[in-house]
Amino acid sequence: MEFFDVLVRYEVALWNAVDRELGRQGMISLGLLHALRVVESYGGQARVQDLSCDIGITVGAASKLVDRLERDGLASRSSNPVNRRSSLIALTATGQQALASAMDVYSSAVARAVGGEDVEGLTGALQRLRARLGESGVGVAA
Amino acid sequence: MEFFDVLVRYEVALWNAVDRELGRQGMISLGLLHALRVVESYGGQARVQDLSCDIGITVGAASKLVDRLERDGLASRSSNPVNRRSSLIALTATGQQALASAMDVYSSAVARAVGGEDVEGLTGALQRLRARLGESGVGVAA
DNA sequence: AAAGATTGACTAATCAATCTTG
DNA sequence: CAAGATTGATTAGTCAATCTTT
């Protein structure tokens, strides 16, 4: 139980700190950066569902998120030739630019935040826990 | 960097899973539970600032959160005799009840989610990182 | 003036309903 | 009908401005 509290508090604190650091240096918000990284990870073939799943928000929220990305010129939808129900989302040149410069600030902020702490073991433990969560059935309809 | 991604993804996934579990069993949301626990931790003497700090939201958001708690009959403000600028927030009987029954579901959900995994070392590591974050100056005006 | 809180305008989530394509 | 996405109503957050008390 204690574990959950500590995890949540640290995650929130780290997120907010990195987000403020991005803002102070004139970059996009961490929320947007997070989204752009997911889009990039699909190599210009991301679907709304992919964002929803990888970011951990609902499909509706992901759809509106893509609206904002398009409105801000960071990404664009194009029709999927294989399946006309969905569209494919790719970064624009502006989006790639914004991603790259924000990543510099992000990387150095995270590095500074964790300091010399050995974080590899921690990362592995969190990955195991994530796999465990899937198997646990918590939050899934009986 | 990888660390940050893994941390955020796990935290979001765990939060959502526990929140769904609470909902499925007719309990208050995890966000509300989180707030009630903070209020309780101050023993009926919580200020808006305390919620803001402990939850990691702005003071404005915390003020509105307390509005909702009052509206739903879970907590109430009373005037602080020592300092009339602030008021003191305490759980109502209904709030204590809601907290207690939600905590049962919450505890068993978290326990089930982490399974047999040894989480003590992990908790300690996260606490060290949190202290480290404060010292790092990330997200603080130069 | 600073500390504590509140409010208003705006931005992002949620869920449920809906529309389109397979 | 199922899969994929969008939309509308509601709920929570952010920031900046304001009000009261110290």
Side-chain angles (χ1 to χ4, degrees):
Chain A
M1 316 315 101
E2 159 108 65
F3 163 67
F4 183 85
D5 294 332
V6 172
L7 173 71
V8 169
R9 286 188 60 136
Y10 179 62
E11 194 268 350
V12 170
L14 181 58
W15 179 284
N16 287 340
V18 173
D19 190 37
R20 277 194 302 272
E21 191 68 33
L22 285 165
R24 290 205 315 117
Q25 305 208 23
M27 300 293 148
I28 58 179
S29 72
L30 184 50
L32 281 183
L33 174 57
H34 201 57
L36 294 189
R37 291 183 67 194
V38 172
V39 172
E40 193 204 28
S41 76
Y42 282 88
Q45 313 259 83
R47 294 169 310 156
V48 169
Q49 291 241 312
D50 299 324
L51 298 209
S52 162
C53 176
D54 287 9
I55 298 176
I57 56 180
T58 62
V59 175
S63 177
K64 293 173 187 175
L65 171 57
V66 176
D67 290 347
R68 288 191 303 268
L69 294 179
E70 283 201 306
R71 182 201 57 190
D72 297 346
L74 298 169
S76 65
R77 290 172 169 99
S78 60
S79 52
N80 184 343
V82 176
N83 184 341
R84 276 184 306 173
R85 280 177 300 190
S86 75
S87 49
L88 298 177
I89 304 151
L91 295 183
T92 61
T94 307
Q96 287 173 7
Q97 184 94 43
L99 174 59
S101 47
M103 276 305 288
D104 287 344
V105 175
Y106 164 86
S107 300
S108 94
V110 173
R112 210 144 54 86
V114 306
E117 212 74 25
D118 167 39
V119 123
E120 306 232 341
L122 196 48
T123 304
L126 289 170
Q127 280 168 328
R128 276 194 303 280
L129 279 170
R130 182 163 160 74
R132 183 90 200 59
L133 177 58
E135 300 157 12
S136 76
V138 172
V140 183
Chain B
M1 321 311 105
E2 157 109 63
F3 163 67
F4 184 86
D5 294 332
V6 172
L7 173 71
V8 170
R9 286 191 57 138
Y10 179 61
E11 193 268 351
V12 170
L14 181 58
W15 179 284
N16 287 340
V18 173
D19 190 36
R20 277 194 302 273
E21 192 69 31
L22 285 166
R24 290 204 316 116
Q25 305 206 23
M27 299 293 148
I28 57 180
S29 73
L30 183 50
L32 281 184
L33 174 57
H34 200 58
L36 295 189
R37 292 183 67 194
V38 173
V39 172
E40 193 204 28
S41 77
Y42 283 88
Q45 313 261 83
R47 294 170 309 158
V48 169
Q49 291 241 312
D50 299 324
L51 297 209
S52 162
C53 176
D54 287 9
I55 299 176
I57 56 181
T58 61
V59 175
S63 176
K64 293 174 188 176
L65 171 57
V66 177
D67 289 347
R68 271 176 272 138
L69 294 180
E70 283 202 306
R71 183 202 56 189
D72 297 348
L74 298 169
S76 65
R77 291 171 167 99
S78 59
S79 52
N80 185 342
V82 176
N83 184 340
R84 274 184 308 174
R85 282 177 298 190
S86 74
S87 50
L88 298 178
I89 304 151
L91 295 183
T92 61
T94 308
Q96 288 174 5
Q97 182 96 41
L99 173 60
S101 47
M103 276 304 288
D104 286 344
V105 175
Y106 164 86
S107 301
S108 94
V110 173
R112 209 144 55 87
V114 306
E117 212 75 25
D118 169 38
V119 122
E120 306 232 339
L122 196 49
T123 304
L126 289 170
Q127 279 168 328
R128 277 194 302 281
L129 280 169
R130 180 162 163 74
R132 184 93 198 57
L133 177 58
E135 299 158 12
S136 75
V138 172
V140 183

